[in-house]
Amino acid sequence: MPPRNPRKDARAISRRRLIRTVVLGGIGVTALAQGTEVGRLKVERQALRLPKWKADGLKVALLTDLHVNDKQETERAIEAVGIAGVEKPDVILFGGDFLNTPGEEALRNVRRVLDAADDTGCRAFAVLGNHDYWVPTTPELIEQFRGRRTRLLRNELVGFGDATIWGIDDGIAGRDRHMLDHRHRDDPSILALFHEPDFVSRVHSNVGIMLAGHSHGGQMCLPFGVPLHTPRGARTYIAGFYADAPVPLYVSRGIGTVGPKLRLFCPPEVSILTLNSEDRA
């Protein structure tokens, strides 16, 4: 065995250290750049083909996890509503978690967002999320929807053209109910709006598609969107379209944040979804 060359070994170690420093530095710079992405909304436009769907061409804007606790978050949510309105959807859907702090400021911020939704002229529906129930001001939050163009659905079904929108109340808070009465069990175009995506297994198998949020897409991710953590209720389904879920499922990364006001490799999302039957040409 040839004798070791200490100088050669030292050079190899130095090269490895240099490479590691460059790689870690690059990741750090990228992370800082991505952190600023928290306020840069990305519009995700997708046309989804659904096996049970008959209301071809229904265009839906999905906005979820607004978390309008302060001025900055509120302005971002209002911007998202404005973007959705410009897309001229048939309906705007709010997927829950409007806020996660109590107090009049957060309620006032919700009112501003609902004002913006009214101004779009679009019909809109909403459900509540777990954070909406974890504050003592839930009754006051619910009151904000009174007399609005945006209708809050709490385990209710509403006919919407050739489709039916089913707003399911929050699962983590134990408020969700999933029974379909006989009038809807043969309805091929039910859109379920339900905050937590992992609870897709609870909905009736006849549902055409379920839309959800809650995950924030992980909020802080490794490159290529690999999440560092997701909350209970979003461990299996995290972001994007899952055609093979118990019923077809789309999960939005949402608009706001919880914890650090940062996003890493996971920009906030305005979802513009066009729903078609699988056999549409």
Side-chain angles (χ1 to χ4, degrees):
M1 181 176 180
R4 296 180 59 185
N5 185 331
R7 290 184 179 178
K8 185 177 181 181
D9 290 347
R11 287 196 297 271
I13 292 171
S14 295
R15 281 196 299 271
R16 287 196 295 269
R17 285 176 177 169
L18 176 61
I19 291 169
R20 184 174 62 184
T21 300
V22 170
V23 170
L24 291 176
I27 291 173
V29 170
T30 304
L32 288 173
Q34 288 288 328
T36 65
E37 291 287 320
V38 68
R40 296 178 186 170
L41 293 160
K42 183 175 181 180
V43 180
E44 297 284 2
R45 297 180 182 88
Q46 295 203 35
L48 306 181
R49 293 186 178 276
L50 309 171
K52 297 180 180 178
W53 195 256
K54 299 301 180 186
D56 277 339
L58 184 71
K59 188 175 181 180
V60 175
L62 173 63
L63 305 174
T64 185
D65 299 276
L66 305 182
H67 295 288
V68 290
N69 304 301
D70 61 28
K71 181 178 179 181
Q72 183 181 21
E73 292 167 320
T74 305
E75 294 300 330
R76 183 164 61 247
I78 291 172
E79 180 185 359
V81 171
I83 291 171
V86 168
E87 293 285 333
K88 299 190 183 304
D90 297 304
V91 63
I92 297 175
L93 299 179
F94 291 96
D97 276 5
F98 285 87
L99 46 73
N100 52 284
T101 58
E104 179 53 37
E105 179 184 1
L107 292 171
R108 183 168 58 249
N109 293 340
V110 172
R111 288 197 292 272
R112 291 184 61 199
V113 171
L114 295 178
D115 285 343
D118 284 350
D119 290 343
T120 67
C122 298
R123 288 191 66 185
F125 299 93
V127 294
L128 298 182
N130 55 303
H131 283 283
D132 297 322
Y133 279 108
W134 287 353
V135 294
T137 50
T138 304
E140 289 84 354
L141 173 60
I142 292 171
E143 186 65 22
Q144 305 310 310
F145 293 88
R146 188 180 299 277
R148 294 282 187 177
R149 184 179 292 273
T150 301
R151 178 176 169 183
L152 180 63
L153 300 178
R154 306 180 72 190
N155 302 313
E156 299 170 74
L157 294 100
V158 177
F160 190 84
D162 294 330
T164 299
I165 295 174
W166 186 9
I168 302 176
D169 214 346
D170 187 68
I172 287 178
R175 304 300 182 100
D176 53 319
R177 303 292 181 268
H178 318 97
M179 293 299 295
L180 280 176
D181 64 35
H182 67 278
R183 294 173 297 170
H184 296 283
R185 286 180 183 168
D186 295 323
D187 186 341
S189 298
I190 297 176
L191 184 161
L193 182 64
F194 193 4
H195 184 64
E196 290 93 358
D198 284 0
F199 295 163
V200 64
S201 58
R202 298 183 181 182
V203 304
H204 196 280
S205 60
N206 198 52
V207 164
I209 186 170
M210 177 175 139
L211 306 183
H214 183 59
S215 70
H216 295 201
Q219 190 171 311
M220 304 292 285
C221 296
L222 298 174
F224 309 107
V226 179
L228 297 173
H229 170 78
T230 55
R232 180 171 73 92
R235 301 273 165 77
T236 301
Y237 305 104
I238 299 167
F241 183 51
Y242 297 88
D244 297 327
V247 302
L249 169 68
Y250 188 89
V251 185
S252 170
R253 296 186 301 270
I255 305 297
T257 59
V258 169
K261 297 184 186 302
L262 295 171
R263 280 180 175 264
L264 180 61
F265 299 109
C266 187
E269 172 179 348
V270 176
S271 316
I272 305 297
L273 308 173
T274 303
L275 309 182
N276 294 314
S277 60
E278 216 169 38
D279 57 359
R280 182 175 183 178

